[in-house]
Amino acid sequence: MGNSECKDELLLQFVDEKVLKAFNAIASKEDAVPQAEDILAVTEIFCLGNGKDCGSFIIDATKSEREERLTQSFHKNLKLLVEKTWVEASDVTVKDQVLYRIDKLCDKLSAGDYANCYRDFISVLLDVVYLMFGSQAKKEDFAEYALRIDPEFGIFWWYLHSLPRERTWTNDKCRVVILLGMYFLSNY
């Protein structure tokens, strides 16, 4: 059995097959906006008990008030998470830089230019996870570790880690991918 199959089996202990299929569809190299059913499958798992219709606005490509509120909530919650995270003295500068980058990222996100925010979004989130978990976040078995200690966060990490590091998509697909990540972190 391949490494990917083992990882899929592990994830299937925490989510059903429709969520795994949705993760794979969303992270695919294909530039098409994911199907509504895939977006809703991920938002359901990322809702953290906030109801079934929690992310339906993500399907509609029209910028909405809910999308702007999501950006504001994401900004506030992510900064608070970083500010409250205790770090080693050697990482204080990294923490300060991440806080600055969060501000800049959210300014760009508010403008709706998701394609040009994609790389920064991924980079900032990876750095936030590093600040939270230290060197453990860079270990090969971190995905399994995260699933076992906090399944909700572990599922999010699985989602984040499945995404390409470099943007290859148009603004529409980047929008969906980023809003899904923001949605989880705004409710975490």
Side-chain angles (χ1 to χ4, degrees), residues 25-171:
I26 290 168
S28 77
K29 292 181 188 219
E30 187 178 317
D31 191 27
V33 172
Q35 297 291 318
E37 64 193 29
D38 292 331
I39 294 169
L40 291 175
V42 174
T43 59
E44 259 181 54
I45 202 83
F46 284 177
C47 273
L48 308 175
N50 290 328
K52 294 283 184 195
D53 186 38
C54 55
S56 60
F57 71 96
I58 296 172
I59 296 167
D60 182 6
T62 308
K63 189 156 175 82
S64 67
E65 184 179 316
R66 282 181 77 184
E67 192 171 320
E68 186 56 37
R69 284 195 320 257
L70 175 62
T71 302
Q72 292 167 359
S73 177
F74 168 76
H75 187 194
K76 180 181 78 175
N77 289 354
L78 194 60
K79 280 193 75 159
L80 185 62
L81 179 66
V82 172
E83 287 168 349
K84 299 294 181 189
T85 299
W86 181 87
V87 296
E88 297 286 339
S90 60
D91 287 329
V92 170
T93 301
V94 174
K95 182 176 178 177
D96 291 341
Q97 289 172 346
V98 168
L99 289 167
Y100 174 79
R101 289 171 46 219
I102 290 169
D103 289 340
K104 295 300 173 198
L105 171 65
C106 290
D107 287 344
K108 289 186 210 175
L109 288 170
S110 290
D113 189 4
Y114 294 99
N116 286 323
C117 293
Y118 180 82
R119 181 190 234 185
D120 292 338
F121 179 78
I122 298 293
S123 176
V124 164
L125 294 187
L126 292 174
D127 287 346
V128 168
V129 173
Y130 168 76
L131 290 172
M132 292 170 60
F133 291 95
S135 61
Q136 178 70 34
K138 297 190 185 267
K139 292 185 178 178
E140 183 143 340
D141 66 344
F142 182 68
E144 181 176 353
Y145 171 80
L147 277 168
R148 303 249 185 246
I149 64 161
D150 183 349
E152 291 169 341
F153 177 79
I155 292 165
F156 170 73
W157 177 255
W158 208 275
Y159 169 78
L160 179 64
H161 213 262
S162 71
L163 300 173
R165 297 297 165 252
E166 297 295 323
R167 176 187 65 87
T168 59
W169 305 314
T170 61
N171 198 63

